[in-house]
Amino acid sequence: MNQMPPKRRGDAREKILELAESAVLAKGFTATSIDELVAGAGITKSGFFYHFKDKNALAKAMILRYLERDQTLLDDLFRRADELNEDPLHGFLVGLKMFAELMADLPDNYPGCLAASFCYQDQLFDAEIRDLNAQGMLEWRQRFRARFEAIAGRYPPSEAVDMEALADMTTVLVEGGLILGRALQDSSILPRQILMFRDYVRLVFAPG
């Protein structure tokens, strides 16, 4: 009879993080218990504490994992867009179209954004975790500001544009679109907002 391979420690850690993220998005960090994560992962409580010394360590691992995935997703998406078009404006517009298509594939009951959830509950976390979350949002600002400045170098806007505020619009529309889509049970809201932002960017940097 074939035997199942033993569960690796890394697999158990990843399972805990998956369960924790789903639970936190569904009901919040305080309401997520170590006991339910232990039961869901099929491990002992000592197994949990092998990976995370306490819930604060779990929270740190969750936000680091989330930010790494977020950065990888954006890096890959806009890299592919750049490969399709060397023009900085047209490449960015392609990237936004691809981003909208990606967000359109989210399920209707998509639970939301872990970074936003941590913001709403920031009093539960220490300064390190709050700083990590803020740094993730600043990374979005820096990423998109660099994009807009590159576009402006080729297509100077006809009127002065606050590049930092324009970059922050990406975070604002994604988080707002997720919230509104969840409240209204309409998963089409976020991709439509991204496409409208795409039209706005085209107008801001319209050649001639």
Side-chain angles (χ1 to χ4, degrees):
M1 184 175 67
N2 292 330
Q3 292 184 339
M4 293 294 291
K7 183 178 288 187
R8 293 177 298 178
R9 288 173 175 174
D11 293 340
R13 186 178 191 276
E14 183 63 21
K15 181 64 173 177
I16 294 167
L17 289 170
E18 289 177 2
L19 292 167
E21 182 169 328
S22 296
V24 169
L25 288 173
K27 59 186 179 181
F29 190 75
T30 300
T32 299
S33 71
I34 292 175
D35 286 339
E36 71 176 284
L37 299 178
V38 164
I43 60 174
T44 63
K45 189 168 285 190
S46 63
F48 175 90
F49 289 116
Y50 173 83
H51 295 290
F52 310 103
K53 67 177 182 179
D54 52 29
K55 280 189 74 177
N56 192 74
L58 173 66
K60 180 180 177 181
M62 289 173 66
I63 196 65
L64 285 171
R65 174 176 176 267
Y66 173 83
L67 294 175
E68 181 180 0
R69 286 183 311 175
D70 186 64
Q71 182 173 339
T72 299
L73 183 149
L74 290 175
D75 283 346
D76 180 64
L77 189 151
F78 283 99
R79 176 188 55 77
R80 288 188 287 120
D82 289 338
E83 289 172 352
L84 293 171
N85 201 313
E86 294 182 358
D87 181 285
L89 175 58
H90 296 156
F92 186 68
L93 296 177
V94 169
L96 288 178
K97 181 70 161 56
M98 293 167 65
F99 191 32
E101 291 172 351
L102 181 68
M103 295 298 101
D105 288 337
L106 295 177
D108 288 336
N109 62 346
Y110 184 73
C113 168
L114 189 69
S117 177
F118 272 39
C119 281
Y120 302 146
Q121 305 172 74
D122 63 358
Q123 73 280 1
L124 302 176
F125 309 116
D126 63 19
E128 182 184 18
I129 293 173
R130 293 195 297 270
D131 288 346
L132 283 170
N133 203 12
Q135 188 57 44
M137 296 185 183
L138 289 173
E139 198 280 331
W140 270 59
R141 173 187 286 175
Q142 293 158 4
R143 173 191 297 275
F144 288 104
R145 180 169 182 167
R147 287 270 175 179
F148 293 135
E149 288 176 346
I151 294 169
R154 178 80 65 90
Y155 303 105
S158 57
E159 298 184 9
V161 176
D162 184 334
M163 295 296 177
E164 185 169 289
L166 184 61
D168 284 344
M169 284 180 69
T170 58
T171 302
V172 172
L173 76 90
V174 169
E175 298 300 345
L178 285 171
I179 291 169
L180 190 59
R182 183 172 181 179
L184 300 183
Q185 304 268 315
D186 184 354
S187 61
S188 73
I189 289 175
L190 177 54
R192 283 169 30 222
Q193 287 294 309
I194 294 171
L195 291 176
M196 182 166 286
F197 178 66
R198 179 174 180 264
D199 290 339
Y200 176 68
V201 170
R202 182 189 286 113
L203 289 172
V204 168
F205 298 104

